[in-house]
Amino acid sequence: MAAEQDRPLSRMQARIQARLLALRAEIEQHNFRYYVLDDPTVSDAEYDALVRELKAIEAEHPEWITPDSPSQRVGAPTFVTTFDNVRHRQPMLSLDNVFDAEEWAAFEQRARDRLNTDAPLVFAAEPKFDGLAINLTYVDGRLIQAATRGDGSVGEDVTPNVRTIRSIPDRLDLPAPSVVEVRGEIVMSHSAFAALNRAAEAAGDKTFANPRNAAAGSLRQKDPRVTARRQLQFFAYGVGAAEGIDLPDTQLGLLDWLGGLGFTVSEWRTACTGSAAVLAYHAAMLARRPTLDYDIDGIVLKINAVQEQQILGFVAKAPRWAVAFKFPAEEATSQVKAVDFQVGRTGALTPVARIEPVFVGGVTVSNITLHNIDEVTRKDIRIGDYVVVRRAGDVIPEIIKNIPDRRPEDTQAITLPEHCPVCGSEVIRVEGEAIARCSGGLFCPAQRREAIRHFASRKAMNIDGLGEKWIELLLEHQLIDHVDDLFHLTREQLLSLPRMGEKSAQNLIDALEQAKNTTLPRFLYALGIREVGEVTAAALAQHFPTIDALEQATLDDLQAVPDVGPIVAMHVHTFLRQPHNREVIANLLATGVHWPAPAAAPKEAPLAGRTYVLTGTLSQMTRDEASARLQSLGAKVSGSVSSKTTAVIAGEAAGSKRSKAEALGVPVLEEADLLALLDAPE
């Protein structure tokens, strides 16, 4: 660059040179964060784009290339750390990358030109592991040193930590060379990564963004015992210096030899002859990628014949006979432009980030779910943040983390809305739960399909024949909006639906008419109030004999009901406080939905304070009928057996509940005992 300074640069050249210097500084900073801090702030795709831009400028202006340019060096420069420096006997070079079929074809053509051949070349192909490169030095078959790649010439001594990795032999199996440097990749499996982050979350510690960072962080622990617990794996892929042995004359032969020494080598290694075979292997490994328990980000292709490798030689930091053919990026960087809250079929509110569209994992991503507000808080995601987006295989894209160094000053916090963005009903969130929900279950359009399905179900209003298929058709043809609309349907409307015959239409009309005659417990259960199952609905009906009484109940009134705690009381109170829900309930009663008055007040009920469990098949009545009759006499009917259960009533083919009752010493009654109990309760 000094010669260039002898004459003034044009304005355009000055701008290009300034960009060159900025790129070098930015890439060096990313190298430091990636190799030393194990905390990158950009995705691999963004980093690769910066390097490619730097190389393009230097290709146009070779006079500006300097020895300290990131394009001329391997990995990161050597930084002062807590680990001793180690000089490799033979430099650990990196690989150049190609990203598509066109770039691959250009690489292959250059190799053929240098070898002066038109014949198809034979490549040794294997997955490109996304981990941490390591150099293992063995002397007389014993591991004496392990070092990271570092800058290619000098790395960090991590021998004590590497000795804890079970897939790295301390002694070599076969007659070994006097000296050999075995090169490979240390990775963390997906299963080990998931377990590590679960443990970190449980302990309140920081979680890792991806398995590669976790592997790097694990290898650089001061305490080898921590590394030992991280379940790292090692895959061998090459050899550096070797003394006292003649190595195989092919790359695949070398991998087989390494396997014979006791190292793990990729089971997916193979020979590819010609470009078509390479492209097919690339596609096959891309398809296999989601099934592997470790990360790969491409394939590595090396001229198989060592003699041809020697002819091709090296450039400054990479061999001319090998290349990494990368997959579409699984991680990319984008910016959060806005956050909307979607309402699911059960009322759950899910924050969805609208990001600047980014190509990642083979698709363009513009919307990403943030799961719940706790996840937003844990990752500290704000509107305006730059974030790392990950999409592995067919997995739903996710935001891994924000990038604090790039956070704009005007970011906005993401807050949970107080009212449903769809229907305006109150949003409730139980303390300790991650999910917030809309309370407008009967009215909210986002929940109507699930609300109608539950309302019509057998244990609710029992509308025979109204399954999900017909519900979908009724909604699609706009014949209903809410559950009360069901009872306004006419035979003519139903016949207008595709595949609806006269008999089916009449059967549904009859079933709707029959469903109007119900019980208060069934009606309350059919409303779909959160946490209100059959037993709780029955308890509420016993305590509040009318809907009006239940609607006017306070939180304290509700908590006076047996088995109704503060959370259930809040759900019931909030649901019945929503004007839309009360309107739908009033409309249902106006259509003729009704039920008989309670047979007895709770305090006068002869079976009050007793709890029964029904199991098996009854011959004289259904279990629902038996349950209703027991409840009318004041008994509680539970779905599970405990030591507090009064008795289990067992019909034919009674299963585990009977066995559990016998184990707990709970009385087991037969159907005859039930009939006697119902006719003359004591």
Side-chain angles (χ1 to χ4, degrees):
M1 197 175 290
E4 188 68 23
Q5 292 173 346
D6 292 341
R7 61 178 184 274
L9 298 177
S10 68
R11 185 174 300 176
M12 176 65 73
Q13 287 176 321
R15 282 202 299 268
I16 294 173
Q17 190 178 87
R19 176 57 180 162
L20 174 74
L21 297 175
L23 281 169
R24 287 177 179 172
E26 185 175 359
I27 292 170
E28 290 287 12
Q29 179 62 25
H30 292 320
N31 282 341
F32 178 78
R33 297 195 67 94
Y34 185 90
Y35 290 100
V36 177
L37 301 182
D38 301 320
D39 185 28
T41 56
V42 295
S43 64
D44 288 349
E46 191 170 358
Y47 177 84
D48 288 341
L50 293 173
V51 173
R52 295 175 79 181
E53 183 183 357
L54 172 66
K55 288 183 176 180
I57 294 175
E58 291 182 342
E60 289 291 327
H61 299 277
E63 69 277 9
W64 292 349
I65 298 176
T66 59
D68 62 347
S69 170
S71 67
Q72 306 301 301
R73 290 160 43 194
V74 177
T78 304
F79 298 99
V80 178
T81 70
T82 57
F83 297 91
D84 293 335
N85 287 340
V86 174
R87 181 167 294 278
H88 307 307
R89 284 175 165 81
Q90 183 171 306
M92 291 185 72
L93 301 180
S94 61
L95 296 177
D96 283 334
N97 297 321
V98 296
F99 294 89
D100 54 37
E102 184 178 350
E103 291 184 358
W104 158 251
F107 170 84
E108 184 191 35
Q109 186 61 53
R110 287 194 299 272
R112 284 207 308 267
D113 290 346
R114 290 190 174 98
L115 292 172
N116 194 27
T117 180
D118 293 326
L121 299 178
V122 180
F123 289 89
E126 60 180 321
K128 183 182 181 297
F129 300 100
D130 190 11
L132 187 74
I134 205 79
N135 184 59
L136 309 174
T137 302
Y138 288 83
V139 175
D140 295 328
R142 293 179 61 92
L143 176 64
I144 65 164
Q145 196 169 67
T148 61
R149 182 198 300 274
D151 65 359
S153 298
V154 177
E156 294 177 325
D157 188 340
V158 289
T159 308
N161 292 346
V162 163
R163 289 189 189 278
T164 70
I165 301 174
R166 295 181 179 180
S167 54
I168 294 179
D170 196 56
R171 287 176 175 270
L172 302 182
D173 291 346
L174 299 179
S178 55
V179 176
V180 64
E181 290 180 314
V182 177
R183 272 83 188 268
E185 201 87 357
I186 289 177
V187 301
M188 179 177 286
S189 69
H190 295 162
S191 50
F193 173 70
L196 176 63
N197 271 353
R198 282 196 301 269
E201 286 181 355
D205 296 334
K206 179 182 177 182
T207 58
F208 288 96
N210 54 55
R212 191 269 166 202
N213 283 4
S218 301
L219 196 63
R220 302 182 75 255
Q221 291 290 323
K222 295 180 181 179
D223 185 352
R225 291 173 297 181
V226 176
T227 307
R229 293 195 295 267
R230 300 290 176 82
Q231 302 178 47
L232 300 177
Q233 296 175 263
F234 174 75
F235 289 90
Y237 56 63
V239 168
E243 301 173 12
I245 193 171
D246 291 327
L247 295 175
D249 59 3
T250 66
Q251 178 64 27
L252 289 173
L254 180 66
L255 293 176
D256 291 341
W257 179 74
L258 287 169
L261 286 176
F263 294 99
T264 303
V265 291
S266 173
E267 61 180 306
W268 306 111
R269 64 190 186 280
T270 190
C272 292
T273 302
S275 185
V278 166
L279 295 177
Y281 178 78
H282 183 272
M285 288 307 303
L286 180 59
R288 184 173 288 120
R289 180 190 203 179
T291 69
L292 301 177
D293 194 31
Y294 46 82
D295 282 347
I296 61 173
D297 58 356
I299 61 174
V300 174
L301 300 158
K302 298 175 182 176
I303 297 284
N304 194 40
V306 172
Q307 183 178 6
E308 291 179 345
Q309 293 179 7
Q310 293 170 344
I311 294 172
L312 290 170
F314 302 86
V315 291
K317 69 164 190 173
R320 289 194 179 99
W321 43 267
V323 73
F325 193 164
K326 300 289 285 289
F327 291 148
E330 285 194 306
E331 291 187 3
T333 302
S334 184
Q335 187 178 27
V336 178
K337 310 301 288 185
V339 171
D340 300 330
F341 281 83
Q342 294 183 345
V343 183
R345 63 185 181 87
T346 62
L349 268 69
T350 302
V352 177
R354 312 299 181 188
I355 65 170
E356 193 69 37
V358 61
F359 191 75
V360 57
V363 299
T364 299
V365 175
S366 55
N367 303 318
I368 300 181
T369 177
L370 296 174
H371 302 292
N372 55 63
I373 201 69
D374 282 353
E375 183 79 353
V376 172
T377 302
R378 184 177 70 82
K379 293 182 176 178
D380 188 22
I381 305 298
R382 305 180 192 177
I383 299 170
D385 267 346
Y386 286 90
V387 293
V388 177
V389 178
R390 179 175 176 83
R391 181 182 183 273
D394 294 328
V395 176
I396 297 172
E398 66 173 323
I399 290 178
I400 298 296
K401 62 177 182 177
N402 68 37
I403 304 175
D405 292 350
R406 298 180 65 180
R407 170 168 282 173
E409 293 182 359
D410 58 349
T411 58
Q412 303 172 39
I414 300 169
T415 57
L416 190 67
E418 295 182 357
H419 295 90
C420 172
V422 176
C423 73
S425 297
E426 187 177 348
V427 170
I428 57 175
R429 184 186 181 204
V430 176
E431 185 177 353
E433 289 189 4
I435 298 175
R437 297 179 188 272
C438 164
S439 59
L442 286 181
F443 180 83
C444 183
Q447 302 176 65
R448 62 184 181 179
R449 182 178 288 101
E450 178 63 17
I452 295 169
R453 185 205 63 76
H454 175 76
F455 184 83
S457 63
R458 183 176 63 85
K459 293 183 178 182
M461 298 298 286
N462 192 25
I463 304 175
D464 189 34
L466 186 60
E468 293 190 20
K469 179 179 67 173
W470 293 121
I471 293 172
E472 192 69 37
L473 279 172
L474 292 169
L475 290 171
E476 181 184 340
H477 290 265
Q478 300 180 345
L479 296 183
I480 59 173
D481 281 324
H482 311 298
V483 293
D484 55 305
D485 295 326
L486 289 169
F487 297 105
H488 293 289
L489 289 170
T490 66
R491 183 171 175 275
E492 290 70 25
Q493 286 177 316
L494 294 178
L495 288 173
S496 70
L497 298 174
R499 302 184 301 281
M500 176 68 83
E502 291 189 11
K503 184 176 181 180
S504 296
Q506 188 59 52
N507 286 343
L508 184 52
I509 291 294
D510 292 343
L512 286 165
E513 189 63 31
Q514 185 177 352
K516 292 180 181 179
N517 183 17
T518 186
T519 66
L520 181 54
R522 276 182 173 271
F523 183 78
L524 294 179
Y525 174 67
L527 297 180
I529 304 172
R530 184 160 175 78
E531 304 286 355
V532 176
E534 297 169 79
V535 174
T536 303
L540 289 168
Q542 284 186 347
H543 202 85
F544 301 99
T546 67
I547 281 290
D548 287 341
L550 185 59
E551 288 182 343
Q552 293 169 18
T554 65
L555 284 171
D556 289 340
D557 294 336
L558 290 166
Q559 289 186 60
V561 179
D563 296 329
V564 173
I567 292 177
V568 174
M570 184 195 67
H571 285 309
V572 174
H573 188 259
T574 305
F575 182 93
L576 294 175
R577 198 171 64 233
Q578 304 308 309
H580 298 316
N581 291 338
R582 297 178 76 147
E583 179 183 350
V584 174
I585 291 171
N587 291 341
L588 284 168
L589 299 179
T591 64
V593 174
H594 65 281
W595 50 85
K603 292 182 180 178
E604 301 171 357
L607 298 183
R610 302 187 189 184
T611 301
Y612 295 94
V613 173
L614 293 163
T615 183
T617 303
L618 303 175
S619 60
Q620 300 296 313
M621 65 188 77
T622 67
R623 277 165 49 180
D624 284 345
E625 290 170 340
S627 178
R629 291 190 62 181
L630 286 167
Q631 290 169 347
S632 71
L633 295 171
K636 175 181 176 181
V637 179
S638 177
S640 59
V641 182
S642 73
S643 59
K644 297 181 180 180
T645 302
T646 303
V648 169
I649 299 168
E652 290 188 19
S656 60
K657 292 178 182 177
R658 178 171 189 153
S659 301
K660 185 173 181 180
E662 292 170 346
L664 292 174
V666 173
V668 177
L669 305 181
E670 305 299 332
E671 185 170 0
D673 301 316
L674 169 66
L675 295 174
L677 185 65
L678 295 176
D679 289 339
E682 296 179 0

